[in-house]
Amino acid sequence: MAGFLIPPWFREIAPSKSEMNIASIFWGVSLAVALFSASKGGKQSWRAYKRTGSTNAYVILVWSEWIASVSMGAITWLFLYGNIPPSFHFFFAIVTLWSIQVQCIIQIIINRIGLLMRNKRQVRLMQFGFAALLVCVNISVYTIWIPARLQINEEYNKINEVWDRVEKGIFLIVDCGLNIYFVYLVRSKLIANGLQKYTRLYHFNIVMIGCSTALDAILIGVMSLENGFIYLQFHPFVYLFKLHIELNLTELLAKIVRLDEGDSGLTDSKSGTGRKSNAMGTHTGRGIKMATLITANRDFTELKDSEGQKPGIQKTVETTIEYNSKEDDDRDSHSSSTRELHSFYNV
């Protein structure tokens, strides 16, 4: 029986036995990744709830991604097995779940990038900018992919053959580009400022960029299979694996920021009544500044000691040597980045 909005000339292509075996393998692996991701996501969600007493945007994005991916995998597998007939409702649900997948995974990556950026306005612009870009692509898929799957006419099929691969390529570029930018921030704001413990995160993220990009490329390749719906079963696996990568990166970040950090610096905690200070400094080399601090204490309290000193102005000369490995802006950026990380993970 034809489903809603299915034209009379609709021709259903049943998957072969080998194609069903491939789809079943994809679904089985997706379920395994989903279980591991649910375990990690549940632990992180519980820790976030205990810390703040509520959920946050990261937790909502993680579970939205997980639910959308698992739901898409389940209904696609039932469709391939013939339990769900082709219809407008089915194709609309597939595109909607796919839209949630791509939106959530990109926002999770931007949320991670935002922890290392000082300019929160720029982070907001990134969030809304990429969301708007993805919405435009999502709308195009609604208007091209659904008519093509409903087999409205041959023209839609030809356009979809090209555009389906183009939009997958767009997501590959966006995903890869954002992850490369995160690696750049880790390198320039943390490792370059002496926090060598983040080198582990840097290397791990580079490997994960390779894995994520390879999966996107394989997804585009799987689209060339004779049955155009087999790649839909591979799609949830790709995004569940991406989610698992994000959960592991979050866990790794949390472990790193909790490590003891042996930072040291020169601080002056002295205080006085009616103090006036004057500092004179000279640069003696690249990044090195010698400063002489002259302090006059105008407290005219009579001094009473064994030598019978008279009241007067006390002058104290302090000389300090400061070493600055970066410009002030770089130090402020580094401090802001580490504060954001420590605040997010409640360190």
Side-chain angles (χ1 to χ4, degrees):
M1 180 179 177
F4 180 65
L5 292 182
I6 296 295
W9 56 83
F10 183 87
R11 185 172 63 90
E12 187 173 355
I13 303 174
S16 64
K17 185 177 180 180
S18 60
E19 288 174 336
M20 276 308 307
N21 289 337
I22 293 173
S24 298
I25 291 172
F26 288 162
W27 178 226
V29 176
S30 299
L31 284 175
V33 178
L35 289 174
F36 284 115
S37 299
S39 176
K40 284 185 178 293
K43 292 176 182 177
Q44 292 179 14
S45 301
W46 177 244
R47 285 198 295 266
Y49 179 78
K50 287 197 302 182
R51 186 171 67 242
T52 63
S54 62
T55 58
N56 53 36
Y58 169 78
V59 172
I60 294 172
L61 288 170
V62 164
W63 286 109
S64 297
E65 177 73 26
W66 190 89
I67 292 170
S69 298
V70 173
S71 299
M72 182 177 178
I75 65 174
T76 301
W77 191 76
L78 292 172
F79 171 80
L80 291 172
Y81 256 90
N83 299 108
I84 297 178
S87 67
F88 172 81
H89 302 113
F90 169 74
F91 298 132
F92 187 87
I94 287 292
V95 176
T96 301
L97 291 171
W98 166 79
S99 300
I100 295 172
Q101 283 180 328
V102 295
Q103 286 282 3
C104 288
I105 201 68
I106 295 301
Q107 293 301 322
I108 290 172
I109 297 172
I110 295 175
N111 181 74
R112 170 160 48 89
I113 291 173
L115 296 176
L116 301 180
M117 294 178 65
R118 290 182 62 194
N119 192 337
K120 296 308 169 186
R121 182 174 178 274
Q122 188 177 358
V123 176
R124 291 294 181 188
L125 288 175
M126 287 180 63
Q127 290 173 332
F128 288 111
F130 281 104
L133 170 65
L134 297 182
V135 165
C136 292
V137 177
N138 295 152
I139 292 173
S140 72
V141 175
Y142 276 106
T143 58
I144 296 174
W145 190 85
I146 293 178
R149 291 307 173 187
L150 289 171
Q151 300 178 15
I152 299 300
N153 57 49
E154 190 61 30
E155 194 66 27
Y156 274 112
N157 291 333
K158 291 179 180 178
I159 296 173
N160 184 64
E161 283 293 319
V162 177
W163 181 243
D164 211 7
R165 289 166 173 78
V166 170
E167 50 93 358
K168 296 293 188 299
I170 292 173
F171 292 125
L172 186 154
I173 293 171
V174 170
D175 185 299
C176 185
L178 288 173
N179 276 301
I180 290 174
Y181 185 54
F182 177 75
V183 168
Y184 163 76
L185 290 177
V186 172
R187 183 76 177 176
S188 61
K189 292 183 178 294
L190 300 177
I191 298 175
N193 284 285
L195 297 179
Q196 295 301 317
K197 63 181 182 178
Y198 288 96
T199 304
R200 181 183 172 190
L201 173 67
Y202 175 79
H203 292 148
F204 179 79
N205 208 80
I206 288 177
V207 174
M208 291 302 101
I209 289 174
C211 293
S212 180
T213 304
L215 285 173
D216 285 328
I218 293 171
L219 178 61
I220 296 174
V222 173
M223 294 171 64
S224 300
L225 293 176
E226 185 177 351
N227 191 309
F229 288 99
I230 298 299
Y231 88 91
L232 290 179
Q233 195 67 70
F234 186 65
H235 203 283
F237 165 72
V238 171
Y239 280 84
L240 282 168
F241 190 83
K242 288 176 181 287
L243 176 62
H244 195 65
I245 290 174
E246 293 302 321
L247 292 169
N248 277 296
L249 279 170
T250 300
E251 201 167 85
L252 180 59
L253 268 168
K255 289 179 181 177
I256 291 175
V257 298
R258 287 185 173 92
L259 292 175
D260 290 333
E261 187 172 339
D263 291 340
S264 61
L266 294 173
T267 61
D268 182 11
S269 59
K270 295 181 180 179
S271 61
T273 303
R275 252 162 95 141
K276 180 178 178 181
S277 301
N278 183 30
M280 297 178 291
T282 57
H283 290 275
T284 59
R286 182 178 179 181
I288 301 177
K289 181 174 69 177
M290 177 176 288
T292 301
L293 178 67
I294 302 175
T295 304
N297 191 339
R298 291 180 173 83
D299 190 352
F300 296 98
T301 303
E302 185 176 352
L303 299 177
K304 298 178 180 179
D305 56 17
S306 59
E307 297 180 0
Q309 291 180 332
K310 297 181 179 181
I313 298 176
Q314 301 172 58
K315 178 180 177 182
T316 303
V317 179
E318 298 177 358
T319 301
T320 61
I321 299 176
E322 299 177 358
Y323 175 77
N324 300 324
S325 60
K326 286 285 184 181
E327 297 296 332
D328 290 343
D329 288 343
D330 290 339
R331 290 202 312 271
D332 291 343
S333 178
H334 152 252
S335 300
S336 176
S337 299
T338 52
R339 275 199 306 271
E340 286 290 335
L341 288 171
H342 284 242
S343 175
F344 186 80
Y345 297 108
N346 196 34
V347 177

